[in-house]
Amino acid sequence: MTAQPLPEVVRIAGELIRIDTSNYGGGNAKGEREAAEYVGRYLEELGLEVEYYEPIPRRTNVMARVAGRDSSKPALVVHGHLDVVPAVAEDWSVDPFAGIVQDGMLWGRGAVDMKNMNAMILTAIADIIRSGEQPQRDLIITFFADEENGGVEGSALVVQNKPEWFAGATEAISEVGGYSITVDDRRAYLLQVGEKAMIWIRLVAKGRAGHGSRLHDDNAVTKLAEAVAAIGRTRWPIQLTDTTRALLEGLSELTGRSTDDPDALASAAGPAEAFLRSTFRTTTNPTVLSAGYKHNVIPERAEALIDVRVIPGTEDDVLAELQRIVGDDIAIEIVVQDIGMETPFEGGLVDAMVATLGAHDPGVPVIPYLLGAGTDNKALAYLGITGYGFAPLRLPADLDFTGMFHGVDERVPVDSLVFGQQVLADLLRSY
């Protein structure tokens, strides 16, 4: 029996996964050039004019503009990022960069974040152009570098140095929204209308260097360990926003449960529970430790990296509280900081996204939510462009999709990719 060919969206996502664009952060990355050239060739084959921008060697961004039927309407930016976080192959049950299809799933680093959406964008545009149609308005198709490092060497530089790419645009759509969750055996879609602020900090402890055998009461490693443990064990209080209140109301309508205990209500969302609970509060997670250079030498300096995600508008208060938690002996350095965002769950684009999902999955509610992480929409916000998360996927109830962001054995159902391509194409035709 001859194997059926893969749907184009799955094939392209797999080919993008096989281009290793691992980004270790801090300027240490394999680079996005080959992936940018891949998507650029695809867009050129559709008859589009492609521009590249590589402000730093191998950190390549690419853009093409699709003319709409009515260019007097504000343009829409449709964007993705080409880099991925690293993957330790020994931890995976498959090669993370093989892009294989197995058990009805596409596996590999980027299958969830976000080479899946990149493939959906490309094939949705292809659907429109190959059918001889035009989108309703101009579309600005952009793929950025360095998103997994806060966009410092990607979208931030593009916005700063190539603002003309986005001329006439007022809105944007990208990743981490439009996917389904299961709430008490009922499906619902989450539409991302906001993002927490990101503050990546470095803790620095200093002490007196010396021999490892000595009685030593000024040990930088000990000071740092105490500070890291204090931050890691801190449980920040619930602090709701307009968006998270609306999320809770949506979950309450689905379940009949009260909104009085947000964490308990989020538990109705099954595997998505932890993802949603993180949106109710600030989170501060230690991620990297660095100290010392030999077993019997007490180092003078020890450092730790902390990933801080903050409810929008509370940045200064959180930084002050972190200093109080670690004490005056620990210095806090800001490595990367970006803005938080929140926009109302209303307007023409929101209505169009909700209606398009409804046309493909009738009767299933769409609920707004605040992303606990961040996207390149934050960079576009500096140009006055309002961003949303809309990578539409209809997912199985038992798939821990949100848990696979930056996780092991990242995978996405083939059928979900096809669904997403169709939804996205219809949105871009009609809005």
Side-chain angles (χ1 to χ4, degrees), residues 246-363:
L247 167 71
L248 291 171
E249 290 168 3
L251 295 177
S252 178
E253 290 176 7
L254 281 170
T255 63
R257 304 185 196 183
S258 168
T259 61
D260 293 342
D261 186 342
D263 285 338
L265 185 52
S267 69
E273 173 188 358
F275 204 71
L276 296 181
R277 289 179 60 202
S278 70
T279 71
F280 302 150
R281 49 175 58 81
T282 288
T283 58
T284 49
N285 285 308
T287 54
V288 177
L289 296 171
S290 178
Y293 52 91
K294 195 173 187 299
H295 206 137
N296 62 346
V297 178
I298 298 169
E300 183 180 13
R301 180 184 177 101
E303 300 180 359
L305 301 183
I306 314 293
D307 189 341
V308 183
R309 307 296 175 128
V310 180
I311 299 297
T314 68
E315 293 88 338
D316 291 343
D317 291 341
V318 168
L319 285 171
E321 179 63 11
L322 285 170
Q323 190 68 73
R324 187 198 67 77
I325 290 170
V326 301
D328 294 337
D329 283 346
I330 304 293
I332 296 178
E333 300 175 354
I334 295 176
V335 180
V336 178
Q337 181 171 0
D338 64 22
I339 59 173
M341 305 183 304
E342 197 169 17
T343 192
F345 186 59
E346 60 187 33
L349 179 53
V350 169
D351 292 345
M353 290 186 286
V354 172
T356 307
L357 279 171
H360 286 264
D361 200 357

Side-chain angles (χ1 to χ4, degrees), residues 164-231:
E164 65 273 13
W165 277 14
F166 309 103
T170 57
E171 296 171 310
I173 57 173
S174 189
E175 58 176 334
V176 205
Y179 59 90
S180 70
I181 61 173
T182 301
V183 183
D184 279 356
D185 298 323
R186 294 185 61 189
R187 188 162 58 249
Y189 288 92
L190 295 178
L191 179 57
Q192 190 252 102
V193 296
E195 303 179 9
K196 289 165 72 177
M198 181 183 80
I199 311 176
W200 285 349
I201 63 172
R202 178 185 293 112
L203 304 184
V204 179
K206 293 183 178 180
R208 189 174 70 255
H211 198 288
S213 67
R214 294 187 56 182
L215 185 66
H216 201 96
D217 58 2
D218 189 21
N219 190 312
V221 175
T222 302
K223 293 177 185 178
L224 180 72
E226 290 170 343
V228 169
I231 287 180

Side-chain angles (χ1 to χ4, degrees), residues 129-167:
I129 291 176
R130 289 169 183 165
S131 64
E133 300 176 280
Q134 286 181 285
Q136 181 70 232
R137 64 189 66 224
D138 284 8
L139 303 177
I140 301 168
I141 310 302
T142 310
F143 297 94
F144 292 113
D146 201 45
E147 192 273 348
E148 298 294 1
N149 186 47
V152 176
E153 297 184 349
S155 59
L157 295 179
V158 176
V159 164
Q160 177 182 328
N161 299 321
K162 290 287 186 179
E164 65 273 13
W165 277 14
F166 309 103

